[in-house]
Amino acid sequence: MNIQGILLKTEKYNLHAHSQFCDGRDSMSDIAKAGVDAGFEYFAFTPHSPVNIDSPCNMKSSRMGEYLEESSRLRDLYLSDMKILTSLEIDYLGDDWGPHVDYFQRLPLDFRLGSVHFVPNQDGVFLDCDGRYERFAQYLKQGFRDDLRYVVEKYFEQVLMMLERGGFDLLGHFDKIAGNAVQADPEIEDQGWYEALVNDVISHVKGTDVVMEINTKAYADKSRFFPSDRWWKKIIEAEIPLAVDSDAHYASKVTAGRDEAFARLRELKKQ
Protein backbone atom coordinates (compact mmCIF):
# COMPACT_ATOMS: atom_id res chain seq x y z
CA MET A 1 0.00 0.00 0.00
CA ASN A 2 1.37 3.40 -1.02
CA ILE A 3 0.66 5.61 1.99
CA GLN A 4 1.95 8.71 0.28
CA GLY A 5 -0.57 8.12 -2.51
CA ILE A 6 -3.37 8.17 0.07
CA LEU A 7 -2.09 11.43 1.56
CA LEU A 8 -2.03 13.09 -1.86
CA LYS A 9 -5.52 11.89 -2.64
CA THR A 10 -7.55 12.71 0.46
CA GLU A 11 -7.65 13.84 4.08
CA LYS A 12 -10.35 11.27 4.79
CA TYR A 13 -8.07 8.62 6.26
CA ASN A 14 -6.88 7.34 9.60
CA LEU A 15 -3.84 5.07 9.66
CA HIS A 16 -3.58 4.33 13.38
CA ALA A 17 -6.23 2.63 15.53
CA HIS A 18 -6.43 0.03 18.30
CA SER A 19 -9.11 -2.42 19.35
CA GLN A 20 -9.81 -5.40 21.59
CA PHE A 21 -6.75 -7.18 20.21
CA CYS A 22 -4.41 -4.99 22.30
CA ASP A 23 -5.19 -2.09 24.63
CA GLY A 24 -8.11 -0.69 22.64
CA ARG A 25 -11.41 -0.39 24.48
CA ASP A 26 -13.85 -1.20 21.66
CA SER A 27 -14.16 -3.99 19.12
CA MET A 28 -12.78 -3.75 15.61
CA SER A 29 -16.35 -4.01 14.36
CA ASP A 30 -17.50 -1.00 16.38
CA ILE A 31 -14.47 1.05 15.43
CA ALA A 32 -14.83 0.22 11.74
CA LYS A 33 -18.49 1.27 11.84
CA ALA A 34 -17.44 4.55 13.47
CA GLY A 35 -14.89 5.07 10.69
CA VAL A 36 -17.56 4.60 8.04
CA ASP A 37 -19.94 6.95 9.86
CA ALA A 38 -17.16 9.57 10.03
CA GLY A 39 -16.76 9.43 6.25
CA PHE A 40 -13.27 7.95 6.06
CA GLU A 41 -12.14 6.56 2.73
CA TYR A 42 -9.18 4.67 4.24
CA PHE A 43 -8.94 3.25 7.74
CA ALA A 44 -6.12 1.16 9.20
CA PHE A 45 -6.09 -1.11 12.22
CA THR A 46 -2.72 -1.13 13.96
CA PRO A 47 -2.77 -3.29 17.09
CA HIS A 48 0.32 -3.09 19.26
CA SER A 49 2.50 -5.86 17.92
CA PRO A 50 3.57 -8.92 19.85
CA VAL A 51 6.78 -8.24 21.74
CA ASN A 52 9.46 -10.47 23.24
CA ILE A 53 8.96 -9.00 26.72
CA ASP A 54 5.98 -9.05 29.06
CA SER A 55 3.44 -6.34 28.22
CA PRO A 56 -0.31 -6.29 28.91
CA CYS A 57 -0.83 -3.65 26.19
CA ASN A 58 0.53 -5.69 23.29
CA MET A 59 -1.29 -8.29 21.24
CA LYS A 60 -0.25 -11.89 21.84
CA SER A 61 1.24 -13.69 18.85
CA SER A 62 -1.32 -16.46 19.40
CA ARG A 63 -4.07 -14.01 18.32
CA MET A 64 -2.41 -12.90 15.09
CA GLY A 65 -4.45 -15.25 12.92
CA GLU A 66 -7.69 -14.15 14.56
CA TYR A 67 -6.79 -10.50 14.01
CA LEU A 68 -5.95 -11.01 10.34
CA GLU A 69 -9.21 -12.89 9.78
CA GLU A 70 -11.29 -10.18 11.44
CA SER A 71 -9.58 -7.46 9.44
CA SER A 72 -10.27 -9.38 6.25
CA ARG A 73 -13.93 -9.87 7.21
CA LEU A 74 -14.42 -6.17 7.90
CA ARG A 75 -12.61 -5.21 4.73
CA ASP A 76 -15.10 -7.27 2.72
CA LEU A 77 -18.06 -6.00 4.76
CA TYR A 78 -17.27 -2.33 4.14
CA LEU A 79 -15.69 -2.67 0.72
CA SER A 80 -18.12 -0.25 -0.93
CA ASP A 81 -17.86 2.35 1.87
CA MET A 82 -14.28 2.45 3.13
CA LYS A 83 -11.03 0.65 2.40
CA ILE A 84 -9.82 -1.10 5.55
CA LEU A 85 -6.07 -1.61 5.80
CA THR A 86 -4.39 -4.30 7.86
CA SER A 87 -1.33 -3.18 9.77
CA LEU A 88 0.52 -3.39 13.08
CA GLU A 89 2.13 -0.82 15.34
CA ILE A 90 5.43 -2.63 15.70
CA ASP A 91 7.58 -1.92 18.73
CA TYR A 92 11.32 -1.55 18.26
CA LEU A 93 13.28 -3.38 20.94
CA GLY A 94 16.71 -3.62 19.36
CA ASP A 95 18.35 -5.74 16.67
CA ASP A 96 16.34 -8.83 17.58
CA TRP A 97 12.87 -7.24 17.63
CA GLY A 98 11.35 -4.58 15.44
CA PRO A 99 9.71 -3.92 12.08
CA HIS A 100 12.81 -5.21 10.29
CA VAL A 101 12.70 -8.81 11.59
CA ASP A 102 11.46 -11.64 9.38
CA TYR A 103 8.39 -12.36 11.52
CA PHE A 104 6.88 -8.95 10.77
CA GLN A 105 8.17 -8.74 7.21
CA ARG A 106 6.42 -11.99 6.28
CA LEU A 107 3.02 -11.06 7.67
CA PRO A 108 0.40 -10.09 5.04
CA LEU A 109 0.19 -6.42 6.04
CA ASP A 110 -0.73 -3.44 3.88
CA PHE A 111 1.93 -1.33 5.59
CA ARG A 112 3.95 -1.28 8.81
CA LEU A 113 3.84 1.36 11.52
CA GLY A 114 7.05 1.59 13.56
CA SER A 115 7.01 3.07 17.06
CA VAL A 116 8.99 3.24 20.28
CA HIS A 117 7.28 2.78 23.64
CA PHE A 118 9.93 0.90 25.61
CA VAL A 119 13.33 2.23 26.70
CA PRO A 120 16.18 0.08 28.06
CA ASN A 121 17.42 1.27 31.44
CA GLN A 122 21.05 1.41 32.50
CA ASP A 123 20.97 -2.34 33.14
CA GLY A 124 19.44 -3.14 29.76
CA VAL A 125 15.93 -3.84 31.09
CA PHE A 126 13.19 -2.47 28.82
CA LEU A 127 10.58 -0.35 30.61
CA ASP A 128 7.39 1.10 29.14
CA CYS A 129 7.70 4.90 29.07
CA ASP A 130 4.25 5.54 27.62
CA GLY A 131 0.93 5.71 29.44
CA ARG A 132 0.18 7.13 32.86
CA TYR A 133 2.65 9.60 34.33
CA GLU A 134 2.38 8.02 37.77
CA ARG A 135 3.85 4.80 36.42
CA PHE A 136 6.49 6.67 34.42
CA ALA A 137 7.53 8.61 37.53
CA GLN A 138 7.94 5.35 39.42
CA TYR A 139 10.02 3.83 36.64
CA LEU A 140 12.08 7.03 36.41
CA LYS A 141 12.97 6.87 40.09
CA GLN A 142 13.36 3.14 40.58
CA GLY A 143 14.28 1.87 37.12
CA PHE A 144 16.23 4.74 35.50
CA ARG A 145 18.08 6.03 38.61
CA ASP A 146 16.12 9.30 38.40
CA ASP A 147 18.01 10.30 35.24
CA LEU A 148 15.43 11.95 32.98
CA ARG A 149 17.94 13.03 30.35
CA TYR A 150 19.13 9.44 30.04
CA VAL A 151 15.56 8.26 29.38
CA VAL A 152 14.89 10.92 26.76
CA GLU A 153 18.19 10.45 24.96
CA LYS A 154 17.78 6.68 25.01
CA TYR A 155 14.25 6.99 23.64
CA PHE A 156 15.42 9.04 20.65
CA GLU A 157 18.36 6.67 20.19
CA GLN A 158 15.84 3.82 19.83
CA VAL A 159 13.92 5.85 17.23
CA LEU A 160 17.11 6.46 15.23
CA MET A 161 18.13 2.81 15.41
CA MET A 162 14.69 1.77 14.22
CA LEU A 163 15.01 4.14 11.27
CA GLU A 164 18.41 2.69 10.42
CA ARG A 165 17.08 -0.90 10.53
CA GLY A 166 14.07 0.08 8.39
CA GLY A 167 11.28 -2.28 7.43
CA PHE A 168 8.40 0.11 8.07
CA ASP A 169 6.45 2.75 6.18
CA LEU A 170 5.01 5.07 8.85
CA LEU A 171 6.89 6.50 11.84
CA GLY A 172 4.59 6.77 14.85
CA HIS A 173 4.61 9.72 17.31
CA PHE A 174 8.41 10.02 17.26
CA ASP A 175 8.61 12.36 20.30
CA LYS A 176 6.00 10.58 22.44
CA ILE A 177 8.46 10.48 25.34
CA ALA A 178 7.76 14.20 25.78
CA GLY A 179 4.26 13.39 27.01
CA ASN A 180 5.68 12.18 30.31
CA ALA A 181 9.04 13.97 30.24
CA VAL A 182 7.45 17.44 30.28
CA GLN A 183 5.57 16.54 33.44
CA ALA A 184 8.87 15.74 35.12
CA ASP A 185 10.54 18.84 33.62
CA PRO A 186 8.20 21.38 31.95
CA GLU A 187 11.11 23.13 30.22
CA ILE A 188 12.74 20.05 28.71
CA GLU A 189 11.57 20.74 25.14
CA ASP A 190 13.18 24.20 25.35
CA GLN A 191 16.65 22.73 25.88
CA GLY A 192 19.12 22.85 23.01
CA TRP A 193 20.12 19.23 23.48
CA TYR A 194 16.47 18.15 23.19
CA GLU A 195 15.96 20.07 19.95
CA ALA A 196 19.13 18.46 18.61
CA LEU A 197 17.57 15.04 19.19
CA VAL A 198 14.48 16.08 17.24
CA ASN A 199 16.68 17.43 14.44
CA ASP A 200 18.49 14.08 14.25
CA VAL A 201 15.21 12.25 13.68
CA ILE A 202 14.13 14.69 10.98
CA SER A 203 17.48 14.42 9.20
CA HIS A 204 17.30 10.61 9.29
CA VAL A 205 13.82 10.60 7.74
CA LYS A 206 14.49 13.28 5.14
CA GLY A 207 14.98 11.80 1.70
CA THR A 208 13.58 8.38 2.62
CA ASP A 209 10.21 6.84 1.81
CA VAL A 210 9.13 6.94 5.46
CA VAL A 211 6.02 8.98 6.29
CA MET A 212 5.91 10.78 9.65
CA GLU A 213 2.79 10.61 11.75
CA ILE A 214 1.13 13.53 13.50
CA ASN A 215 -0.62 11.76 16.35
CA THR A 216 -3.70 13.63 17.58
CA LYS A 217 -4.77 11.32 20.40
CA ALA A 218 -3.74 13.64 23.24
CA TYR A 219 -5.04 16.89 21.79
CA ALA A 220 -8.41 16.98 23.55
CA ASP A 221 -6.98 16.23 27.01
CA LYS A 222 -3.52 17.80 26.83
CA SER A 223 -3.76 20.29 23.94
CA ARG A 224 -0.73 18.82 22.23
CA PHE A 225 0.23 16.65 19.31
CA PHE A 226 3.05 14.15 18.81
CA PRO A 227 5.32 15.33 17.38
CA SER A 228 4.77 18.71 18.99
CA ASP A 229 3.61 21.34 16.53
CA ARG A 230 6.64 23.40 17.49
CA TRP A 231 8.60 21.04 15.19
CA TRP A 232 6.19 20.87 12.27
CA LYS A 233 7.76 23.74 10.34
CA LYS A 234 11.09 21.89 10.36
CA ILE A 235 9.39 18.75 9.06
CA ILE A 236 7.54 20.63 6.32
CA GLU A 237 10.75 22.36 5.22
CA ALA A 238 12.45 18.95 5.08
CA GLU A 239 9.69 17.91 2.64
CA ILE A 240 8.75 14.90 4.75
CA PRO A 241 5.18 13.68 4.14
CA LEU A 242 2.92 13.86 7.19
CA ALA A 243 -0.04 11.64 8.04
CA VAL A 244 -2.60 12.88 10.57
CA ASP A 245 -3.83 9.97 12.73
CA SER A 246 -6.07 9.82 15.78
CA ASP A 247 -4.52 6.68 17.34
CA ALA A 248 -8.08 5.82 18.39
CA HIS A 249 -8.59 3.34 21.24
CA TYR A 250 -12.35 4.02 21.32
CA ALA A 251 -14.89 4.11 18.52
CA SER A 252 -15.91 7.59 19.67
CA LYS A 253 -12.35 8.89 19.17
CA VAL A 254 -11.70 8.00 15.53
CA THR A 255 -11.66 11.67 14.48
CA ALA A 256 -10.28 13.16 17.73
CA GLY A 257 -7.94 16.10 17.12
CA ARG A 258 -7.66 15.59 13.37
CA ASP A 259 -9.47 18.76 12.30
CA GLU A 260 -7.30 20.86 14.61
CA ALA A 261 -4.13 19.25 13.25
CA PHE A 262 -5.08 19.80 9.63
CA ALA A 263 -5.96 23.43 10.39
CA ARG A 264 -2.57 23.97 12.00
CA LEU A 265 -0.78 22.34 9.06
CA ARG A 266 -2.56 24.58 6.57
CA GLU A 267 -1.60 27.62 8.61
CA LEU A 268 2.09 26.62 8.67
CA LYS A 269 2.19 25.83 4.95
CA LYS A 270 0.98 29.35 4.16
CA GLN A 271 3.84 30.95 6.10
Side-chain angles (χ1 to χ4, degrees):
M1 174 59 61
N2 183 351
I3 296 178
Q4 294 192 41
I6 294 175
L7 305 184
L8 291 171
K9 178 182 177 182
T10 182
E11 292 182 355
K12 296 178 179 180
Y13 65 82
N14 189 63
L15 304 178
H16 191 164
H18 299 279
S19 69
Q20 81 274 20
F21 283 95
C22 55
D23 61 346
R25 296 299 184 264
D26 289 323
S27 69
M28 284 180 67
S29 181
D30 287 345
I31 293 173
K33 178 61 165 54
V36 170
D37 291 344
F40 285 120
E41 296 177 19
Y42 297 88
F43 195 92
F45 284 103
T46 56
H48 290 289
S49 72
V51 289
N52 57 355
I53 59 176
D54 184 47
S55 169
C57 294
N58 290 70
M59 182 172 69
K60 303 299 182 185
S61 59
S62 60
R63 301 197 71 188
M64 184 63 71
E66 181 186 357
Y67 161 63
L68 294 175
E69 289 178 5
E70 179 65 356
S71 186
S72 179
R73 183 186 75 83
L74 292 171
R75 178 179 298 197
D76 291 342
L77 180 64
Y78 291 112
L79 187 61
S80 62
D81 302 302
M82 176 178 76
K83 185 172 181 60
I84 289 180
L85 307 176
T86 305
S87 184
L88 287 173
E89 183 173 14
I90 305 172
D91 275 292
Y92 179 79
L93 296 168
D95 285 342
D96 297 329
W97 202 266
H100 63 288
V101 303
D102 286 347
Y103 172 73
F104 295 115
Q105 289 298 305
R106 291 175 179 172
L107 289 172
L109 304 175
D110 291 306
F111 70 92
R112 290 159 184 82
L113 167 60
S115 296
V116 172
H117 299 93
F118 300 89
V119 174
N121 68 8
Q122 292 90 335
D123 298 315
V125 177
F126 278 89
L127 299 174
D128 186 355
C129 291
D130 199 12
R132 294 181 298 105
Y133 176 71
E134 292 76 15
R135 183 181 63 179
F136 175 80
Q138 181 179 0
Y139 282 162
L140 178 61
K141 182 176 181 180
Q142 299 177 0
F144 291 107
R145 304 174 189 173
D146 213 19
D147 190 340
L148 181 62
R149 181 163 176 169
Y150 168 88
V151 178
V152 172
E153 290 182 336
K154 205 67 177 177
Y155 177 93
F156 278 99
E157 179 183 306
Q158 292 291 105
V159 173
L160 293 177
M161 290 173 65
M162 181 173 68
L163 284 165
E164 290 174 0
R165 300 298 183 272
F168 64 99
D169 311 282
L170 179 61
L171 175 61
H173 48 56
F174 78 78
D175 69 344
K176 189 69 185 297
I177 189 64
N180 280 319
V182 296
Q183 294 192 63
D185 177 3
E187 298 180 353
I188 196 166
E189 291 176 293
D190 300 324
Q191 304 301 315
W193 63 267
Y194 185 97
E195 184 171 358
L197 296 173
V198 171
N199 289 339
D200 279 347
V201 174
I202 294 172
S203 66
H204 273 68
V205 176
K206 182 179 181 179
T208 72
D209 292 328
V210 173
V211 174
M212 273 189 176
E213 173 189 75
I214 292 175
N215 190 297
T216 66
K217 178 185 174 184
Y219 185 79
D221 296 332
K222 299 181 180 180
S223 298
R224 70 166 297 153
F225 304 103
F226 296 100
S228 169
D229 57 353
R230 69 166 65 192
W231 314 124
W232 292 5
K233 191 66 173 178
K234 292 175 180 281
I235 299 170
I236 292 169
E237 290 174 348
E239 299 182 335
I240 297 171
L242 288 163
V244 177
D245 300 322
S246 68
D247 191 0
H249 286 60
Y250 298 84
S252 61
K253 301 291 187 180
V254 295
T255 62
R258 296 182 77 259
D259 288 344
E260 293 85 351
F262 277 119
R264 178 65 175 142
L265 278 174
R266 293 188 192 99
E267 176 186 325
L268 287 173
K269 289 177 180 179
K270 291 178 180 178
Q271 295 178 4

